[in-house]
Amino acid sequence: MNASLQSLTNALTEIVGARWVKSRAAELTAYDSDGLPGYRATPRLVVLPGSRDEVCAVVRLLAERGIPFVPRGAGTGLSGGSLANDAVVIGLNRLTRIHSIDAGNRIAHVEPGVVNASLARAVSPFGLYYAPDPSSQAACTIGGNVAENAGGPHCLKYGVTLNHIAALTVCLPDGELVSFGSSVSEDTGYDLCGLFIGSEGCFGIATDIWVRLLPVPEQVRTLLADFSSVTDAARAVSAIIATGIVPAALEMMDQSTIRAVEASIYAAGYPVDAAAVLLAEVDGLAIGLDDDVRVIEQCCRDAGARNVRIASNDADRARLWQGRKKAFGALGRIAPHLVVQDAVVPRTKLPQILAEIHEIGARYNVNVCNVFHAGDGNLHPNISYDASDPQQSERVHAAMSEIMHACINAGGTITGEHGVGLDKLGYMEDLFSAPSLAAMCSVREVFDPERRANPGKVVPVHSCREWSGSSRH
Amino acid sequence: MSTTVAELAAQVAQAHVSAEPLRVVGGGTWLQAGRSCFGTALRVGEYVGIVDYTPGDLTLTARAGTTLEAIAEATAAHGQWLPLDPEALPGATIGATIATASDGPLAFAMGRVRDQVLGIECVTGTGEVTRAGGRVVKNVAGFDLVRLHTGAWGTLGVITEVSVRLRARPEVDRAFVVASDDRVSLESRLAPLADLLIAPLALELLSGALATALGVHDHMCLLVRLAGNATRVNAQVEALGALGDVKEVPVSVFDALSRLSPAGAMVARVSHMPTHFSATWRHVMDHLSASQCWQPLVRGSIARGVVRVGALFEQDVPVLERFVRGMAPPGAAVAWEMLPDDGWQYVPSSVSDRVSMGLRRALDPAWILNRGLLGESMDAVRV
């Protein structure tokens, strides 16, 4: 270890204690990747502060020494956003306290390291729940959800993380602690809380998060419809949305996904000969819910559904969901690596884009499985492959690039809930003009003029250089 | 006259070079709001038209000067609507609605303005045309400047085009007034709400003066909007009976509600935690009485903890100071929308913090856009 690294280790140890500074190669390996396969980067050090004060002290120390840092939650992100190339990783996993749950006002004050599913468990005795439910909810943290503006299947009705955060306390990249939003009243002034959510660790570290909670719906009904064509399933999606009913979730899986699920321990009883299945859920007041179920069933049948199955009890419902929630796990069994992509298209473009994705997959000889939030037009084209095979990796990346451009050309976007991170950086210039990217850079510089917080992510660096020249008059 | 975004951008770029302040003008219905703010008019209200509307996507993109009425008309033809009901006069534009983040009773169930906006095109203070977000309903590509511009009152950029999320119109949409015994405390009257199995589209408490002005009742009452399928709405109408006497009123009463503030009124939103609603309401009503504001038009979004006040005030300046400073009870926040010029000196700026001022310097370095509207000082902006 060189002298400056030793000095940094010593200084960090003084703040958090020796146990919480990781510097050995074997220790750093655990932090050299996230949920995005094929990318690795070794951090300079990993530090795990145990309190808000320690976070700020660590960030201030790094600011004094001009050292870049990457905040990290559970490392379940799928865009390479928490990769740290010679930067210091600030792991927030020790900050797992739920400070308070105010059931009357449906708000909880939590630390960033609280796991999404743990929060759900903690608030359930109050008849409440936290709506955003990313597939990784058993492991991902609320802080990571805030950084990525995470979504999940139930975001169709209830919105993404942004819609469920009332206030934040943020440690800025220079170590100053500031408050955004309000946990007790309407916020006034600029929506800094909204701006911070989804900033992927580039604006600082949220040390305190006030999440909004919802009452558990009186009743939930779940349906599974299967179709002999993906187009029919997509038509059913449009028809359901057009009725005015907002389902709690409206998820689609194509045949490749269905077969992977049914061949796994997560088998949910999906018909393996179906071209697609649609999982629809409605919730709310019990009265009138059956009417909604009947309308949705009819929409599916009118669109050509072969069968519509309505879950008869909680166990049946859980089984239908198991296939969807564990689809990524099932796909992960097929090959050593699984790339889970994320893009959004206008809902009416779903049939067209699914056909294009199928054609692209065939052309590159890769197996694309689609499991996605159909009601939002939020696609997750996934490819199982072996990242150690360079030729296969190249084909996968080329296919994904074409899929991204097809989504952009269809009027969509490159990410609906996974973030830009490193993976999508190259598409930002296809999506945004130079002045638009430059404006984002200028906003970033307000928070972090030295660009030390999660450097090299979200906006291409050269876009920032252009802005720096044009904005200083 | 500016009619293209290029012309608007050129006007801003010119003003940036000469450091000449601009006053962004949409439909002109919001010009009385906020602090006095002078500058050459930048007429975004002339930049009108729906750019893209695919009903199957339930999204719509419109130029900023497009009126809310024009959007309502276009979407109604397809059984859809943009569920925003700000307190706004006819001619109010979508650009101003988003710039001011003005929401109304529908925010209870449909979310606030920030929840409906998907994408924004705006001209920064240097005259650059920028975009953020997009036209799809989920999007996390890049930093969320959509949220930043929503509610920034045009001080970080001039909104020129927006994409918004639409909803299908519910099958049934009805409004009801619920009246109960005036002699019982507000807490007791509202207590049954907690256990009531209802999921209203909107639920507002109206002051007696407001109920009278609307022609729905002559005392304090609840105004409830129920929507959805007929079975669900009918069951909820029955459930409302636990709160008092239920009377159906035309659903158009909600349109009237959004247009009621009298000319020259002072308008404020006082907010606190929902569990403090009754206390907040009582404080505001007592304060208005003590300030000799008779017949104030007051409504409260109970579940959001927000009390909205529209009141005429004709006292002298020392009384005005007490009036402004005392509007919110301890712990609550107050956001003033309209006040006489003399009153603003008692209202701290909401954008005086380091990050807000930094954003202003970054996006409007010559401080030309709606200068002073949010109470920011020249020293803070130019540090």
Side-chain angles (χ1 to χ4, degrees), chain A residues 102 104-105 148-149 151-152 155 160 162-163 165 172 174 176 178 180 183-195 197-200 202-203 218 241-244 246 285 287-289 291-292 342 344-349 373 375-376 378 411-420 428 431-433 435-436 439-440 442-444 446-447 458-459 467 470-471 473, chain B residues 16 54-59 79-80 103 112 114-115 124 126 128-133 135-145 147-148 150-153 155-156 165-171 194 196-199 229-232 235-236 269-276 304 306 331-335 350-351 353-363 365 374:
Chain A
D102 179 349
N105 291 302
E148 299 297 321
N149 194 10
C155 291
V160 292
L162 171 82
N163 309 108
I165 302 297
L172 295 175
D174 64 3
E176 186 187 340
V178 294
F180 296 154
S183 61
V184 296
S185 62
E186 271 195 331
D187 191 20
T188 54
Y190 299 145
D191 186 359
L192 302 181
C193 187
L195 176 64
I197 295 165
S199 60
E200 303 195 30
C202 296
F203 293 175
E218 190 187 4
I241 297 288
T243 62
V246 184
L285 296 177
I287 291 172
L289 208 56
D291 294 2
D292 289 349
D342 174 38
V344 189
V345 294
R347 289 178 268 223
T348 51
K349 296 288 174 63
H373 314 306
D376 289 321
N378 187 181
T413 187
I414 56 172
T415 173
E417 56 185 11
H418 292 178
V420 174
M428 287 293 279
L431 200 60
F432 292 110
S433 66
S436 302
M440 289 184 198
S442 76
V443 167
R444 179 185 203 152
V446 171
F447 290 85
V458 185
V459 182
W467 177 269
S470 66
S471 68
H473 294 272
Chain B
H16 167 68
T54 308
D57 291 332
L58 282 115
T59 60
Q80 298 179 354
D103 34 45
R112 303 182 62 186
R114 77 201 289 254
D115 303 314
T124 67
T126 57
E128 298 270 19
V129 180
T130 64
R131 281 182 180 273
R135 296 183 182 183
V136 287
V137 296
K138 246 170 124 180
N139 195 348
V140 293
F143 301 129
D144 197 346
L145 304 200
R147 247 42 63 182
L148 183 59
T150 302
W153 290 75
T155 60
L156 300 176
R165 179 197 299 269
L166 304 174
R167 306 289 178 115
R169 278 244 175 224
E171 180 188 322
L196 222 52
L197 284 175
I198 57 170
N229 66 42
T231 311
R232 188 174 299 134
Q236 292 181 79
R269 293 190 317 275
V270 183
S271 61
H272 203 345
M273 290 184 281
T275 48
H276 290 49
R304 296 173 59 216
V306 180
V334 59
S350 56
V351 295
D353 61 288
R354 165 193 161 184
V355 174
S356 297
M357 282 295 91
L359 291 166
R360 184 67 190 262
R361 280 192 294 277
L363 295 174
L374 301 180

Side-chain angles (χ1 to χ4, degrees), chain B residues 106 150 183 207 295 344:
Chain B
L106 285 172
T150 302
R183 292 162 300 182
S207 67
Q295 304 297 308
W344 285 106

